[in-house]
Amino acid sequence: MSMVIHELSTNALKYGALSVAEGRVAITWSIDAENQRFHLEWRERGGPRVVEPTKKNFGSRFIQTALPGQLKGEARLLFESTGVVCDINIPLSSLQETIIAAVD
């Protein structure tokens, strides 16, 4: 999860909303207790106009494959003209650390 946030941040700084003084990134998150899911939305605005790339670069592929592969989650990367949006949806169980008790 931290690598996905790092990738989104790096791209926003180089090409997206954080590459200009007026640009902003809104990060919202919530927990769906009934379905035991964590949801995070990354939404850029105020940056350069976005055009969907014709080829998927390393970052896009990483974001869309790392979460399903490692955290059993989903990531949708949307290239809206007003800014990049990334929707992340992960089972809570994938985000919890396993506690190992010490045995004497």
Side-chain angles (χ1 to χ4, degrees):
M1 181 68 134
S2 62
M3 290 296 295
V4 169
I5 298 296
H6 179 269
E7 186 63 33
L8 289 167
S9 301
T10 301
N11 286 339
L13 188 59
K14 287 182 181 179
Y15 316 109
L18 300 180
S19 68
V20 296
E22 307 80 34
R24 300 287 182 263
V25 173
I27 301 170
T28 56
W29 63 273
S30 62
I31 293 176
D32 177 350
E34 183 177 331
N35 295 309
Q36 293 292 294
R37 305 289 290 188
F38 170 80
H39 179 258
L40 182 138
E41 180 188 74
W42 170 284
R43 181 174 294 274
E44 296 181 30
R45 60 182 163 78
R49 189 173 196 288
V50 174
V51 177
E52 186 166 357
T54 55
K55 291 175 65 177
K56 290 192 181 214
N57 62 19
F58 168 80
S60 297
R61 286 191 315 269
F62 177 77
I63 289 168
Q64 294 175 320
T65 59
L67 292 174
Q70 295 184 5
L71 297 177
K72 300 177 185 80
E74 304 162 345
R76 274 188 329 145
L77 198 53
L78 308 169
F79 296 93
E80 297 180 356
S81 61
T82 55
V84 170
V85 177
C86 184
D87 281 312
I88 297 171
N89 189 333
I90 300 170
L92 286 176
S93 59
S94 293
L95 297 176
Q96 297 170 342
E97 290 186 49
T98 303
I99 299 173
I100 300 172
V103 179
D104 291 327

